[in-house]
């Protein structure tokens, strides 16, 4: 440990950027996340920055040792929050081996994969040009902004290297001014919106209907009316930002690693190279079961859809 840094240089250094909107809905998210790191990665040097979109920009406080708090604009939900956190930290981001993007809802939706993330898993990431998360997918490919894809990393819990943040620039892919929505609850998307018909159906089905054909729908689904239209647009844009983040990571040359796959691989191998990471379909096939495996189609190159 050097006197200048106060850190043990032999420890893996992880920076968490936790986005939240107050604490009413997920009151123990911060404590649960810290407990997870303490239990599953006790030898990791862990610093947290909480960006709270319910607090005014410019707000700053120290919540605990190695835990800071700032306010956020909420202009693009967690994505603008992460931008605020990255801007606030500046060059300090590069003092870490990995950056962990998380939301207060990180433990929602089949969170069993989180139990697999331990020191043996994360130790492989600094040496890989890969981003770690839980891979979700649609039953068929969709097209957005001319890009055809089918799978993405769930944005509530992602681990990447600082260089990925630098290459991405802003975490916001789709701003509020992007010409997507029509203002009509009966046909919420513009006719010329750069998103495919199947993707429109997935978004409407997930937020207001029975889901996407893979089981239960979203827990907070609602009827699409003139009154709920602003929320629909905001939530749909957040989903677009989540899924476009994966497409942008692929575009800068990063591989996508599914948590369950990497945990299994790390248990069996002392070292993992970039060439060991297969297409996302091959990664998730063992965990999705026979019913969904037939929907995945044939693998492409480099893990891309």
């Amino acid at each position: 440990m050097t006197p200048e840094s106060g850190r043990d240089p032999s420890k893996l250094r992880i920076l968490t950027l936790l986005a939240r909107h107050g604490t009413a809905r997920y009151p123990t998210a911060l404590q649960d996340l810290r407990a997870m790191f303490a239990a599953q990665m006790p030898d990791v040097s862990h610093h947290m920055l909480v960006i709270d979109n319910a607090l005014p920009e410019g707000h700053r406080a120290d919540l605990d040792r190695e835990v800071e708090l700032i306010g956020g604009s909420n202009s693009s939900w967690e994505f603008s929050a992460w931008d605020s956190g990255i801007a606030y930290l500046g060059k300090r981001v590069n003092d870490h081996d990995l950056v962990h993007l998380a939301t207060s809802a990180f433990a929602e939706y089949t969170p069993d994969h989180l139990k697999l993330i331990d020191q043996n898993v994360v130790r492989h990431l600094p040496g890989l040009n890969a981003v770690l998360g839980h891979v979700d997918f649609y039953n068929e490919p969709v097209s957005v902004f001319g890009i055809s894809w089918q799978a993405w990393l769930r944005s509530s819990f992602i681990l990447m290297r600082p260089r990925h943040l630098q290459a991405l620039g802003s975490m916001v892919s789709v701003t509020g001014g992007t010409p997507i929505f029509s203002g009509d609850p009966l046909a919420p998307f513009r006719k010329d919106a750069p998103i495919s018909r199947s993707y429109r159906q997935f978004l409407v089905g997930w937020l207001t209907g029975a889901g996407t054909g893979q089981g239960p729908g979203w827990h907070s689904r609602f009827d699409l009316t003139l009154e709920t239209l602003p929320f629909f647009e905001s939530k749909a844009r957040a989903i677009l930002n989540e899924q476009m983040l994966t497409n942008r990571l692929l575009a800068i040359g990063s591989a996508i690693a599914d948590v369950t796959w990497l945990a299994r691989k790390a248990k069996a191998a002392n070292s993992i190279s970039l060439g060991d990471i297969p297409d996302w379909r091959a990664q998730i096939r063992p965990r999705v079961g026979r019913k969904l495996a037939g929907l995945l189609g044939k693998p492409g190159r480099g893990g891309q859809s």
Side-chain angles (χ1 to χ4, degrees), residues 134-138 149-155 242-244 246 256 305:
H134 182 80
V135 173
D136 281 327
F137 68 97
Y138 287 130
W149 52 275
Q150 189 174 353
W152 67 96
L153 292 177
R154 192 177 294 178
S155 65
E242 174 182 48
Q243 296 166 343
M244 283 302 297
T246 296
I256 299 302
S305 304

Side-chain angles (χ1 to χ4, degrees), residues 99-122:
V99 177
H100 169 220
L101 304 178
T103 72
S104 54
F106 74 93
E108 296 292 301
Y109 307 115
T110 58
D112 287 348
H113 64 281
L114 297 177
K115 300 174 184 176
L116 303 175
I117 301 174
D118 58 17
Q119 291 171 184
N120 189 40
V121 170
V122 298

Side-chain angles (χ1 to χ4, degrees), residues 121-183:
V121 170
V122 298
R123 71 180 177 88
H124 294 283
L125 289 175
L128 294 175
N129 184 26
V131 178
L132 181 69
H134 182 80
V135 173
D136 281 327
F137 68 97
Y138 287 130
N139 289 353
E140 62 184 74
V142 298
S143 176
V144 179
F145 303 117
I147 305 168
S148 179
W149 52 275
Q150 189 174 353
W152 67 96
L153 292 177
R154 192 177 294 178
S155 65
S156 57
F157 198 106
I158 294 177
L159 282 156
M160 64 177 68
R161 293 163 62 183
R163 65 183 295 271
H164 293 123
L165 295 181
Q166 295 170 348
L168 286 170
S170 174
M171 305 301 289
V172 179
S173 305
V174 185
T175 64
T178 306
I180 294 175
F181 303 108
S182 68

Side-chain angles (χ1 to χ4, degrees), residues 19-26 51-55 72-74 77 104:
R20 73 183 188 189
H21 193 281
T23 57
R25 189 165 185 183
Y26 303 104
I51 310 100
D52 194 330
N53 283 331
L55 294 173
S73 69
N74 202 39
W77 296 33
S104 54

